[in-house]
Amino acid sequence: MTPTGQTAHPYVGMWVTADGHIRQGLTSDGRYDEARGTRKSAYTGRYTVTGNKIDYVDDTGFTADGVFVDADTLHHGGMIFYRER
């Protein structure tokens, strides 16, 4: 179990759009940090993963979700993120 109480999942790590403009780090403690362009930590908050679905709650209270379509591809907010290796 992670500190947030959810079961560990295989999606921890850095996720990046193809152009590299948006970078989203998912940490094992259930937090995320999203950079946009040169703006580090543009969005931060917590997340939970259930199966292949991810639910976000930004530190401001904004909510969003996404779907891991496979082990290396995340669809979120009309964008496609790829696992950074």
Side-chain angles (χ1 to χ4, degrees):
M1 300 289 273
T2 65
T4 60
Q6 78 179 54
T7 302
H9 60 79
Y11 305 117
V12 168
M14 185 62 67
W15 295 83
V16 184
T17 56
D19 63 4
H21 183 73
I22 303 174
R23 301 175 55 81
Q24 185 180 93
L26 303 179
T27 59
S28 61
D29 64 353
R31 298 281 303 165
Y32 73 90
D33 189 314
E34 182 173 297
R36 291 188 173 231
T38 60
R39 185 174 170 209
K40 295 181 179 182
S41 299
Y43 299 98
T44 60
R46 64 186 190 281
Y47 72 89
T48 56
V49 172
T50 306
N52 70 331
K53 184 176 182 218
I54 184 168
D55 291 294
Y56 302 89
V57 179
D58 186 270
D59 289 337
T60 66
F62 177 80
T63 61
D65 61 16
V67 174
F68 295 96
V69 296
D70 60 38
D72 295 315
T73 312
L74 166 63
H75 289 190
H76 161 61
M79 298 173 282
I80 300 173
F81 289 81
Y82 301 95
R83 182 188 299 274
E84 184 174 76
R85 299 247 181 224

